[in-house]
Amino acid sequence: MSLLLKNVTKKFDDHIAVNNLTLEMPERELFGFLGGNGAGKTTTFRMILGLLDQTDGQIEWNGEKIDYHKSHLIGYLPEERGLYPKLKVKEQLVYLGKLRGMTGQSALIELKKWLDRFQVSHYLDKKVEELSKGNQQKIQFISSVMHKPKLLILDEPFSGLDPINVEMLKEAVIDVKNSGTSIVFSSHQMDHVEELCENLCILKEGNAVVKGNLSEIKRSFGKKNLIIHAQESLDFLQQMEGVVKFKQVIGGCELQIMSEEVSQIIFNELQGKGFIRKFELEEPTLNDIFIEKVGEHYE
């Protein structure tokens, strides 16, 4: 079931939060959303879910609008956490499972399976407020996937997690995708989007400044990154034609260059200038593309 946004606009009085956004998010894939605070990511998610009405345009999933009658097919992990702190994990998630059409028994079985996977089975009868922020995040994630949705929307799913738990959750997200679920997610970590997503959209002030297949986006960007480690000073490379950025690092430098051809010219210039320990040409990172298109770092 592919998700289609066609000329979608959302206005709040005179403010345009999302402007004429057209996207197709492929079925059974991970689609990444990037953008700074206020870029329009969460507003777009809420329109997809029917929590907000778009001012203009169309949103279709499998050719139809998403409404209450499809809630059992949808999973949503909001950026603002929505669990009840005073309720125990078991009673809360079994209740949420029932709202999505599960029986109490099937909800409990799924819940226990996920708690075991996340190594927090002893939290079954704990109140949510007794858990750390990271473990609350795990419970929130379980609530969004335990009914085996066909479409899953994750708004900053990795926030508040330490590196070990990030890896645990990433593996879970990949498994959910491999089971046939289409997933749309936003993340503050560029490397997560780069690792998980084939297709993505970068929003700036409600406008899609980059969208499409990640590999094609990188190829069309043109510029390359070049890492050089050497015994001698490499400062002279700053002045070379085709060098866009120069950053000194311990043992050498990191360059952004206009093309692969520039790397060959640099390689020839280095001959006879001492021992070169490393000369590595890399594709531009998603962070490089984001900075150029949006004009800021995405922290």
Side-chain angles (χ1 to χ4, degrees), residues 6 11 13 21 43 51-52 56 93 96 144 157 209 214 216 251-252 274:
K6 188 174 181 182
K11 294 181 181 178
D13 297 324
L21 181 61
T43 299
L51 301 175
L52 286 176
D56 202 2
L93 266 65
L96 292 173
S144 70
V209 292
L214 178 56
E216 293 173 5

Side-chain angles (χ1 to χ4, degrees), residues 215 218-219 223-225 260 281-285 288:
S215 298
K218 285 188 171 187
R219 279 196 296 272
K223 302 182 184 72
K224 305 288 183 181
N225 293 337
E260 290 184 7
L281 187 66
E282 295 182 343
E283 290 290 329
T285 67
D288 294 330

Side-chain angles (χ1 to χ4, degrees), residues 47-272:
M47 287 191 291
I48 291 170
L49 291 162
L51 301 175
L52 286 176
D53 290 329
Q54 63 266 32
T55 308
D56 202 2
Q58 294 174 283
I59 299 175
E60 294 180 351
W61 182 46
N62 198 30
E64 298 177 349
K65 184 179 178 180
I66 294 174
D67 56 24
Y68 178 77
H69 301 291
K70 294 185 178 64
S71 62
H72 64 290
L73 300 173
I74 313 291
Y76 178 42
L77 174 69
E79 185 176 9
E80 313 86 9
R81 305 308 167 222
L83 297 172
Y84 298 102
K86 300 293 183 183
L87 288 181
K88 291 181 179 179
V89 169
K90 180 171 71 174
E91 58 188 1
Q92 183 161 187
L93 266 65
V94 168
Y95 171 71
L96 292 173
K98 286 180 177 179
L99 287 180
R100 293 185 173 106
M102 303 178 79
T103 65
Q105 184 178 10
S106 64
L108 187 57
I109 290 170
E110 279 297 308
L111 171 57
K112 286 181 175 178
K113 183 186 80 174
W114 277 105
L115 291 175
D116 286 344
R117 173 168 184 160
F118 286 157
Q119 301 171 12
V120 290
S121 54
H122 52 294
Y123 290 148
L124 184 65
D125 290 307
K126 291 271 191 183
K127 292 180 180 179
V128 169
E129 66 182 2
E130 296 174 335
L131 309 184
S132 68
K133 184 179 178 182
N135 284 322
Q136 287 184 25
Q137 180 73 340
K138 290 179 184 177
I139 303 303
Q140 183 97 30
F141 176 80
I142 294 170
S143 76
S144 70
V145 300
M146 60 187 289
H147 60 297
K148 300 180 180 177
K150 294 297 182 185
L151 174 64
L152 177 61
I153 295 180
L154 304 172
D155 200 351
E156 301 293 346
F158 306 115
S159 66
L161 297 178
D162 61 47
I164 293 173
N165 284 316
V166 165
E167 289 305 313
M168 190 181 291
L169 193 62
K170 275 199 295 192
E171 289 175 8
V173 169
I174 291 168
D175 284 349
V176 170
K177 184 206 78 165
N178 290 340
S179 73
T181 298
S182 304
I183 301 175
V184 184
F185 88 104
S186 67
S187 176
H188 277 292
Q189 298 295 324
M190 292 283 183
D191 54 338
H192 295 160
V193 177
E194 226 162 341
E195 180 183 349
L196 296 171
C197 298
E198 292 180 49
N199 293 278
L200 60 89
C201 173
I202 299 177
L203 289 177
K204 180 182 181 182
E205 296 174 354
N207 295 284
V209 292
V210 175
K211 62 179 180 179
N213 180 271
L214 178 56
S215 298
E216 293 173 5
I217 290 168
K218 285 188 171 187
R219 279 196 296 272
S220 66
F221 186 67
K223 302 182 184 72
K224 305 288 183 181
N225 293 337
L226 180 61
I227 302 167
I228 308 172
H229 288 178
Q231 286 181 324
E232 305 296 326
S233 171
L234 299 171
D235 288 353
F236 71 95
L237 294 177
Q238 295 182 66
Q239 312 305 324
M240 286 195 63
E241 187 175 349
V243 174
V244 180
K245 294 179 183 176
F246 177 95
K247 180 183 177 183
Q248 205 158 24
V249 297
I250 295 173
C253 64
E254 295 177 359
L255 309 175
Q256 187 179 79
I257 58 176
M258 289 300 297
S259 65
E260 290 184 7
E261 289 72 25
V262 175
S263 71
Q264 294 304 306
I265 296 169
I266 291 173
F267 185 79
N268 293 333
E269 282 292 319
L270 291 172
Q271 303 308 307

Side-chain angles (χ1 to χ4, degrees), residues 20-37:
N20 200 34
L21 181 61
T22 296
L23 290 173
E24 183 166 6
M25 304 176 197
E27 186 179 1
R28 298 183 181 186
E29 266 192 28
L30 275 155
F31 188 97
F33 256 92
L34 288 166
N37 292 329

